[in-house]
Amino acid sequence: MILMAKEVSMSTKYDPKQVEPGRYQAWLDQKLFKPNGDKKAKPYSIVIPPPNVTGKLHLGHAWDTTLQDMIIRQKRMQGFDTLWLPGMDHAGIATQAKVEARLAEQNVSRYDLGREKFIETVWKWKDEYADIIHKQWAKLGLSLDYDRERFTLDEGLSKAVRKVFVKLYRKGLIYRGEYIINWDPKARTALSDIEVIHKDVKGAFYHVKYPFADKTTFNGKNYIEIATTRPETMMGDVAVAVHPSDKRYQDLVGKTLVLPLQGRHIPIIADEYVDPEFGTGMVKITPAHDPNDFGVGNRHNLERINTMNEDASMNANAGKYEGLDRFEARKAIIKDLEDQGYMLRIEPIVHSVGHSERTGVQVEARLSTQWFVKMEPLAKAALANQKTDDAVEFVPERFENTFEQWMNNIHDWVISRQLWWGHQIPAWYHKKTGELYVGEEEPVDIENWEQDPDVLDTWFSSALWPFSTMGWPDEDAADFKRYFPTNTLVTGYDIIFFWVSRMIFQSTEFTGHRPFEHVLIHGLIRDEQGRKMSKSLGNGIDPMDVIDKYGADALRWFLSNGSAPGQDVRFSYTKMDAAWNFINKIWNASRFVIMNLDEGTRAQLPEKAAWKLSDQWIISRLNHTISEVTRLFDGFEFGEAGRALYNFIWNDFCDWYIEMAKEDLNGDDQEAKKNTQNILCFVLDQTLRLLHPIMPFVTEKIWLSMPHEGSSLVTASYPTTTAEYDDPTAEREMGNLIELIKAVRNSRAEVNAPLSSAVDLLIKTKDDQTKRVFESNQDYIERFCHPKKLEIATEIKVPALAVSAVITGAEVYLPLADLVDLNDEIKRLQKDTKKLTAEVKRGENKLANQRFVANAPTEIVAQEKEKLSGYQEKLTATNERIKQLKAEL
């Protein structure tokens, strides 16, 4: 049933505050975001990258989710059985750090509360920020199925986490061991390599004497020189190493040194880890405080002496420095080395030092007992899967190399975290025997067991997100069977390592399939100067503030058109002004159309026999735009799709067709008026459908204000192409007409002859076909060009004092004797020849490129040949006109 407009009020200016409120709730009330339940329809699913419950969403989240919403809205309209599953991540260390910071403001620590009460506090935080995120999702217009919302700590996902841990453990891929790990002394937890950010900081090489324990001398001295950037770790030194083939030190291997300030004897050993070219070629070995030294220590059975506590203060192994903070200890040790004659010199340097991604403090390499995932077999299986038909397709393709490089060079993954918020490791230790039990459920006699206090790295659970949210490990779960593997993941390039890679290898291991067919990688949002947005720079932008000022649709339009896949985008208020301006153009054009519709108008095309040239042209242009936008959406080229829509709406529909339609709307021919009204209504309807995935609020408002079928654009049919509507002839002829009108307008502007003043217009056509087109559309020429006298012929006597222009298939002359200076006219035409010559050269070069001719689609090559021919023709005609004018001088 076709419904007339329910909402007829449209203000003279687009105001998002009048358009957006209440619209989202109406969609939810109608349950429009749920799968359609049509088992014959092809399923299409996306799982949202779960935002951390650490705070409000930023512009990057808005970009990420807008792209997903555009995809799912289009697929829903195309008849797919769509599921966009929402959810949030508990975010382990990040959330715990936020809550501890809030407690610290009240002079309370987690240890004051105890584990149980602290976790209760974090759950309250989670509820608070989940509510904020829900409101932000609503403000953005995200078409999520909230009935399926998940959280990484809910019971279903926790069950999946335990299942995966136990299976990997029993397969020998999870193990517990003492290793050097990255340690965050503020959060007091282990970190994986990719949770460490390296920053350049000022430091120094401290050149220290290490005396021989006996009367040995080297280069006439009773000591060797060791350079270190970490004197605070010296109390943990257990050896000095040289390279086995370094002839300088071969006689020293096996000798004994005295550790400065401590007095302990340590050996000189030979190990291939040492770089003979770096520094002196001699390095101190501290196995408990350096990952490379840890390896050396293992090879030589060296003692591991840990000199630091969990908070990076010095412990009893540091001797007199016990209790000092690591940096205070450094100062004290440097002073003692200087006072006791051990310090040779201090050389200032700037070096790269690891910092915790979450707390910002300098990371320590610390000896610790942790749980690890053995990565090599999982990585190999994931890489092998990429060579099958089940491979994940990266968009842009270059990011697959990033994935492969990381997987080929992967280290074992430390998955235990010394936190309280998260999935507690499903491992128990017998209180009496120390026996280890790992299982999905706790031991039956739980009173005799104590659970491992550590929790799992938050990425361990989020790596399971695409399938755990669908009901896995129940492989008979309806959603798992219907919607997994998912179709598309949208995320930023900054978490390919953290998340994308882990989802791929976990999904390959536990489901035997890729987690998603495509992974669309976008860049980062930067400020106008190209800087990353950060608190320290104070250049962050709250997307909700942008929406308050411009509306969600304007923000979504900017985000969808920001850049090509994989590229960063710069935010600017100038771009937001342009986005709002475009929507205002759509609004006003729609308002004009709706105001000029009659009661019987429908969004249906009249019989084709009744179409005029302008009708044939706009329907062909619409058909082409539908084809382009659909193709570009399928290829995730949203910026290009936006450009195609913009050009069609602003140029073809608003600037030309609507203006030409006014002839019929204001004329006396009622049949022509009715046909034009129906075509206007049809084109507007189809355009709104094309735009809806990008700007859902304003398109829905306009659509409900005009004749429409159905209750919402959300579930309306997406436009499809109709072969018979393609009309290259109409597009060419209308193109000629538009080119003519533009040429006349430009010529008038050149000599300051306003449209309000009637002037003679002479059009010399190259052939009868062009003459026929112009004659049959004489009404448009008279309306848009305002000629006093109009002459269209293949042979025309051209006056010398005339402004001229060369267009496709014709030459245009405006006799303006009082306004034309022949020298100025010649200069103007010479400028035109430069432009035309450049276009001819560009076209010739392009067609001379055999790779382009061989690989480009046939129609594209044909278009280039046609364009070249047109430019060559215009260049010839322009040069002829210059010759004529010069002859008149």
Side-chain angles (χ1 to χ4, degrees):
M1 180 175 69
I2 295 175
L3 303 174
M4 285 306 294
K6 290 180 183 176
E7 305 182 17
V8 292
S9 62
M10 289 183 70
S11 59
T12 55
K13 188 171 159 184
Y14 166 63
D15 181 2
K17 289 182 173 62
Q18 298 297 318
V19 170
E20 295 178 6
R23 185 73 55 199
Y24 192 76
Q25 189 58 49
W27 289 329
L28 292 178
D29 292 344
Q30 295 174 69
K31 301 187 181 300
L32 299 179
F33 301 157
K34 296 184 69 59
N36 63 27
D38 181 359
K39 297 303 179 187
K40 294 180 181 177
K42 192 173 180 181
Y44 194 100
S45 61
I46 296 176
V47 290
I48 199 168
N52 296 344
V53 287
T54 49
K56 299 175 182 178
L57 303 181
H58 52 65
L59 265 178
H61 289 117
W63 188 12
D64 195 83
T65 52
T66 292
L67 297 182
Q68 293 168 69
D69 194 40
M70 286 162 50
I71 295 168
I72 211 74
R73 281 181 180 272
Q74 188 209 40
K75 295 300 180 186
R76 186 184 292 119
M77 293 176 75
Q78 288 177 326
F80 286 82
D81 177 24
T82 55
L83 168 61
W84 187 16
L85 189 146
M88 301 178 201
D89 198 317
H90 69 281
I93 186 173
T95 305
Q96 180 159 321
K98 291 274 188 180
V99 175
E100 288 196 80
R102 179 185 280 186
L103 289 172
E105 293 171 3
Q106 306 161 29
N107 293 317
V108 176
S109 77
R110 60 169 156 148
Y111 302 102
D112 296 329
L113 295 178
R115 186 165 190 149
E116 190 174 330
K117 285 203 178 297
F118 177 76
I119 291 174
E120 285 177 15
T121 304
V122 187
W123 273 106
K124 288 176 185 175
W125 170 286
K126 178 264 177 186
D127 292 340
E128 176 186 343
Y129 279 91
D131 185 55
I132 292 171
I133 291 169
H134 282 139
K135 288 174 181 173
Q136 291 180 305
W137 282 347
K139 210 165 179 179
L140 279 163
L142 307 184
S143 56
L144 296 154
D145 181 3
Y146 290 101
D147 289 346
R148 286 175 166 83
E149 184 174 352
R150 307 303 297 269
F151 182 57
T152 48
L153 278 179
D154 70 26
E155 181 49 42
L157 272 69
S158 296
K159 182 179 180 181
V161 166
R162 293 193 299 271
K163 183 88 169 178
V164 166
F165 186 96
V166 172
K167 286 190 99 174
L168 289 176
Y169 176 78
R170 290 177 180 166
K171 202 172 179 179
L173 295 180
I174 282 183
Y175 63 93
R176 192 166 184 259
E178 190 177 47
Y179 286 87
I180 285 285
I181 47 89
N182 301 301
W183 183 262
D184 181 331
K186 183 175 181 180
R188 300 189 192 182
T189 184
L191 300 173
S192 65
D193 290 343
I194 52 180
E195 291 172 303
V196 177
I197 298 170
H198 285 82
K199 301 177 184 178
D200 285 342
V201 298
K202 290 180 180 179
F205 269 127
Y206 301 93
H207 294 261
V208 180
K209 295 179 182 178
Y210 276 55
F212 290 103
D214 54 21
K215 295 181 180 180
T216 301
T217 60
F218 177 68
N219 290 338
K221 298 171 184 174
N222 67 343
Y223 63 85
I224 62 167
E225 180 180 328
I226 294 293
T228 179
T229 60
R230 304 286 313 281
E232 65 271 24
T233 65
M234 282 179 58
M235 299 302 104
D237 288 359
V238 294
V240 165
V242 299
H243 196 277
S245 61
D246 193 334
K247 294 179 180 177
R248 294 173 296 175
Y249 306 128
Q250 282 180 348
D251 292 341
L252 296 181
V253 175
K255 297 291 184 181
T256 304
L257 302 167
V258 177
L259 182 60
L261 307 182
Q262 209 271 353
R264 182 161 36 86
H265 289 198
I266 60 175
I268 297 177
I269 62 173
D271 193 278
E272 291 190 349
Y273 152 68
V274 181
D275 180 1
E277 304 299 321
F278 183 76
T280 62
M282 306 183 83
V283 295
K284 73 186 194 72
I285 302 300
T286 320
H289 293 281
D290 182 277
N292 294 311
D293 293 4
F294 179 79
V296 174
N298 285 350
R299 287 191 288 276
H300 296 268
N301 296 313
L302 299 174
E303 185 182 2
R304 303 165 184 163
I305 303 175
N306 188 347
T307 64
M308 287 188 194
N309 297 312
E310 289 185 353
D311 63 354
S313 63
M314 309 310 288
N315 64 21
N317 290 330
K320 64 177 283 191
Y321 308 104
E322 182 181 4
L324 291 178
D325 169 79
R326 54 183 165 165
F327 299 120
E328 290 302 316
R330 177 186 295 181
K331 292 175 185 176
I333 289 171
I334 290 169
K335 185 176 186 307
D336 286 348
L337 289 170
E338 290 175 327
D339 290 348
Q340 296 180 36
Y342 289 108
M343 186 71 76
L344 290 166
R345 66 184 184 281
I346 300 174
E347 176 188 349
I349 61 168
V350 173
H351 59 149
S352 182
V353 177
H355 290 72
S356 170
E357 181 197 30
R358 296 302 179 187
T359 65
V361 301
Q362 186 171 311
V363 168
E364 283 294 332
R366 185 171 188 269
L367 186 65
S368 178
T369 300
Q370 302 287 344
W371 291 89
F372 294 83
V373 174
K374 195 178 289 183
M375 284 305 307
E376 186 179 2
L378 294 170
K380 280 184 177 177
L383 288 168
N385 197 63
Q386 285 300 101
K387 294 179 171 59
T388 71
D389 292 339
D390 193 52
V392 172
E393 182 181 332
F394 283 78
V395 182
E397 191 177 346
R398 68 179 182 274
F399 286 108
E400 183 165 4
N401 294 330
T402 306
F403 163 75
E404 288 182 351
Q405 285 172 14
W406 190 66
M407 295 296 266
N408 278 318
N409 296 284
I410 202 164
H411 302 294
D412 284 1
W413 174 18
V414 54
I415 55 170
S416 46
R417 297 289 182 270
Q418 287 65 53
L419 304 170
W420 290 352
W421 173 245
H423 293 98
Q424 196 166 347
I425 289 175
W428 289 260
Y429 307 96
H430 197 279
K431 292 177 181 177
K432 290 183 179 179
T433 67
E435 176 192 350
L436 171 65
Y437 163 76
V438 173
E440 292 179 51
E441 305 298 336
E442 62 184 26
V444 178
D445 55 334
I446 187 61
E447 66 277 5
N448 296 319
W449 298 80
E450 186 173 5
Q451 188 170 1
D452 193 307
D454 290 354
V455 299
L456 289 163
D457 177 9
T458 190
W459 297 104
F460 192 91
S461 53
S462 53
L464 317 179
W465 187 251
F467 53 96
S468 62
T469 54
M470 299 287 186
W472 189 94
D474 178 6
E475 296 190 355
D476 290 324
D479 282 356
F480 182 76
K481 291 172 75 173
R482 177 71 171 160
Y483 299 109
F484 183 83
T486 63
N487 293 83
T488 301
L489 177 83
V490 182
T491 192
Y493 60 62
D494 52 333
I495 59 171
I496 293 176
F497 307 136
F498 287 99
W499 192 42
V500 176
S501 300
R502 287 169 173 164
M503 284 189 287
I504 292 173
F505 72 67
Q506 291 287 48
S507 182
T508 303
E509 172 70 17
F510 287 98
T511 74
H513 296 286
R514 61 189 175 191
F516 25 77
E517 182 180 356
H518 302 101
V519 53
L520 172 61
I521 305 292
H522 60 76
L524 303 177
I525 293 197
R526 300 183 179 274
D527 68 10
E528 288 187 77
Q529 299 174 46
R531 300 175 302 174
K532 188 175 179 180
M533 291 186 177
S534 68
K535 287 182 182 177
S536 60
L537 290 173
N539 62 347
I541 302 288
D542 186 336
M544 300 303 117
D545 292 343
V546 178
I547 291 173
D548 287 340
K549 184 175 180 181
Y550 295 96
D553 286 326
L555 177 61
R556 289 169 63 109
W557 176 257
F558 159 72
L559 293 170
S560 69
N561 284 277
S563 72
Q567 300 299 311
D568 292 347
V569 63
R570 295 189 182 192
F571 177 86
S572 79
Y573 284 104
T574 301
K575 292 176 182 176
M576 287 307 307
D577 289 335
W580 181 91
N581 197 41
F582 178 49
I583 299 177
N584 192 52
K585 179 84 168 180
I586 297 166
W587 180 265
N588 285 325
S590 302
R591 184 172 178 271
F592 171 83
V593 170
I594 292 168
M595 286 173 61
N596 282 279
L597 301 181
D598 290 336
E599 187 68 29
T601 304
R602 298 287 182 267
Q604 294 174 351
L605 293 174
E607 292 296 321
K608 200 172 181 184
W611 297 3
K612 297 189 298 185
L613 173 63
S614 57
D615 302 330
Q616 295 165 355
W617 169 76
I618 196 65
I619 298 302
S620 183
R621 292 299 306 139
L622 172 64
N623 210 42
H624 173 76
T625 303
I626 292 168
S627 174
E628 277 297 281
V629 171
T630 304
R631 178 183 67 81
L632 291 165
F633 256 67
D634 287 346
F636 306 111
E637 293 282 352
F638 301 120
E640 291 300 313
R643 274 182 275 281
L645 280 166
Y646 182 94
N647 290 334
F648 173 75
I649 293 165
W650 195 292
N651 300 331
D652 299 340
F653 189 51
C654 296
D655 285 358
W656 292 105
Y657 187 74
I658 287 178
E659 290 302 313
M660 291 179 170
K662 290 176 182 177
E663 288 289 306
D664 291 328
L665 294 175
N666 298 322
D668 298 326
D669 187 335
Q670 292 303 307
E671 190 63 29
K673 179 180 179 181
K674 180 183 175 184
N675 288 342
T676 298
Q677 287 173 321
N678 284 334
I679 291 173
L680 278 168
C681 191
F682 175 81
V683 174
L684 179 58
D685 171 89
Q686 295 291 289
T687 302
L688 293 172
R689 292 170 191 249
L690 284 174
L691 277 170
H692 181 73
I694 306 174
M695 45 179 79
F697 291 100
V698 69
T699 52
E700 177 94 327
K701 168 68 176 176
I702 296 169
W703 192 74
L704 292 174
S705 301
M706 62 182 285
H708 60 276
E709 189 172 352
S711 60
S712 173
L713 264 182
V714 173
T715 50
S717 297
Y718 196 75
T720 55
T721 56
T722 304
E724 63 182 280
Y725 293 168
D726 282 333
D727 197 332
T729 301
E731 293 206 36
R732 184 175 64 253
E733 292 179 354
M734 189 67 180
N736 287 357
L737 188 59
I738 290 171
E739 192 179 2
L740 167 67
I741 295 166
K742 285 181 175 178
V744 173
R745 287 175 171 175
N746 291 339
S747 295
R748 279 177 169 274
E750 289 281 346
V751 291
N752 295 316
L755 272 174
S756 56
S757 63
V759 298
D760 291 347
L761 174 58
L762 312 177
I763 305 171
K764 180 183 178 183
T765 62
K766 290 226 172 353
D767 52 60
D768 289 334
Q769 175 63 16
T770 306
K771 178 171 175 285
R772 181 194 63 74
V773 170
F774 289 160
E775 286 176 339
S776 61
N777 289 279
Q778 190 167 323
D779 288 350
Y780 292 139
I781 296 173
E782 289 177 347
R783 178 165 184 267
F784 290 106
C785 298
H786 196 199
K788 181 166 59 177
K789 171 193 169 187
L790 175 62
E791 184 178 350
I792 304 170
T794 52
E795 293 295 330
I796 283 180
K797 186 177 180 182
V798 181
L801 295 177
V803 178
S804 62
V806 177
I807 64 171
T808 303
E811 296 167 33
V812 183
Y813 301 95
L814 279 75
L816 298 167
D818 297 336
L819 301 172
V820 177
D821 180 293
L822 288 182
N823 285 308
D824 287 345
E825 179 66 2
I826 289 169
K827 287 178 183 176
R828 186 181 68 80
L829 291 171
Q830 285 172 335
K831 283 183 183 177
D832 289 346
T833 61
K834 285 184 180 177
K835 294 176 186 174
L836 290 166
T837 300
E839 289 294 345
V840 167
K841 189 172 182 181
R842 183 200 65 79
E844 288 174 342
N845 288 341
K846 197 164 191 177
L847 291 168
N849 184 338
Q850 292 304 311
R851 185 180 297 177
F852 166 74
V853 175
N855 296 326
T858 307
E859 62 271 20
I860 299 295
V861 176
Q863 285 173 14
E864 286 297 326
K865 287 180 179 178
E866 188 176 340
K867 278 199 281 186
L868 175 59
S869 177
Y871 285 127
Q872 288 170 331
E873 186 180 291
K874 289 177 186 177
L875 180 60
T876 301
T878 304
N879 283 326
E880 283 297 318
R881 178 60 178 161
I882 290 171
K883 282 182 187 177
Q884 291 171 9
L885 293 177
K886 283 182 175 179
E888 296 289 337
L889 289 174

